[in-house]
Amino acid sequence: AQSVTQLDSQVPVFEEAPVELRCNYSSSVSVYLFWYVQYPNQGLQLLLKYLSGSTLVKGINGFEAEFNKSQTSFHLRKPSVHISDTAEYFCAVRRFGNEKLTFGTGTRLTIIP
Amino acid sequence: GAVVSQHPSWVICKSGTSVKIECRSLDFQATTMFWYRQFPKQSLMLMATSNEGSKATYEQGVEKDKFLINHASLTLSTLTVTSAHPEDSSFYICSARGLGGDGTEQYFGPGTRLTVT
């Protein structure tokens, strides 16, 4: 079975500052990796995903993430955050050949004006 | 493209009654739909996976007789919470996977907040 750990439950960041949201995973087999964003009272929206190839993945809204196989990490970064980035961010993994997504517990990103 | 809707967006019901939540893929055919439950400030927990025309596969610990799932067409899946109790109050989210693309992406609905009084 696979698992996802998001160590930071809350991350406050000043507007226009950079941010990194951490995600580590555990799996005995190869996985796909995802980051989703959830705005208040809404469903999840895909930010980016890693399937294969380049380990640096660019997504929507200026976010990017880097897959590090040796450290089993997939940290999400943005060089300059905006008030509108205030939301809950979830990291998720999915095993090859399996449709089930396993989510982390989420990180609440709060942007301070 | 790839829009998933849910109805209702919120519902309040009395303990002991049943509630039906609909999940629709608006612009694509969803061969597989997923139902998740999210408690406040927690992650999404997969409840069940349904494929069109076949019985749903429930995750361990989810009562299949309490959470009835029907996936009668390629664009509609329903979740019925039977004999609801206050502990069933939660945010229910569905997602759908279509035939196209790389087959890895699930598109999520906006969720349904259920409150049982």
Side-chain angles (χ1 to χ4, degrees):
Chain A
Q2 60 272 17
S3 64
V4 180
T5 302
Q6 292 181 250
L7 289 173
D8 305 307
S9 59
Q10 297 186 56
V11 174
V13 180
F14 284 103
E15 193 172 15
E16 297 184 5
V19 68
E20 178 179 83
L21 305 183
R22 297 181 293 168
C23 172
N24 289 87
Y25 70 94
S26 173
S27 177
S28 57
V29 298
S30 296
V31 296
Y32 301 120
L33 296 152
F34 305 82
W35 273 99
Y36 288 89
V37 60
Q38 184 181 32
Y39 298 103
N41 297 312
Q42 294 186 31
L44 274 69
Q45 180 181 2
L46 180 67
L47 274 178
L48 47 80
K49 59 185 176 182
Y50 172 78
L51 305 181
S52 64
S54 172
T55 58
L56 183 61
V57 180
K58 293 188 183 298
I60 62 172
N61 302 340
F63 284 93
E64 64 180 32
E66 185 155 20
F67 169 57
N68 188 318
K69 188 174 182 179
S70 62
Q71 296 185 6
T72 60
S73 67
F74 190 54
H75 301 333
L76 180 71
R77 297 190 292 257
K78 186 171 182 177
S80 176
V81 296
H82 187 266
I83 288 286
S84 59
D85 293 323
T86 296
E88 191 87 18
Y89 291 80
F90 292 95
C91 181
V93 301
R94 182 186 153 191
R95 286 169 48 189
F96 286 7
N98 189 307
E99 295 186 296
K100 178 179 177 180
L101 277 172
T102 300
F103 287 88
T105 50
T107 297
R108 182 173 299 276
L109 177 61
T110 302
I111 308 303
I112 305 166
Chain B
V3 178
V4 176
S5 70
Q6 282 184 241
H7 177 79
S9 56
W10 59 270
V11 58
I12 302 173
C13 71
K14 292 186 176 181
S15 186
T17 62
S18 295
V19 174
K20 179 182 286 189
I21 302 169
E22 292 186 349
C23 176
R24 292 181 185 274
S25 56
L26 299 184
D27 51 3
F28 67 102
Q29 293 185 323
T31 53
T32 306
M33 286 185 168
F34 306 84
W35 286 95
Y36 295 85
R37 183 172 179 177
Q38 185 181 28
F39 292 100
K41 300 183 180 180
Q42 294 188 29
S43 187
L44 282 74
M45 299 300 294
L46 180 66
M47 298 174 66
T49 303
S50 72
N51 292 294
E52 184 265 339
S54 61
K55 289 185 178 181
T57 301
Y58 290 80
E59 294 298 302
Q60 192 172 8
V62 177
E63 300 175 59
K64 59 180 68 176
D65 294 332
K66 181 170 187 59
F67 299 99
L68 301 178
I69 292 171
N70 183 281
H71 192 164
S73 77
L74 284 172
T75 59
L76 173 65
S77 177
T78 60
L79 167 67
T80 301
V81 183
T82 61
S83 186
H85 291 284
E87 58 265 30
D88 299 324
S89 298
S90 191
F91 196 50
Y92 293 88
I93 301 175
C94 74
S95 71
R97 186 177 68 81
L99 292 170
D102 55 27
T104 64
E105 190 161 346
Q106 294 180 24
Y107 300 96
F108 286 81
T112 296
R113 186 164 301 282
L114 170 64
T115 301
V116 184
T117 61

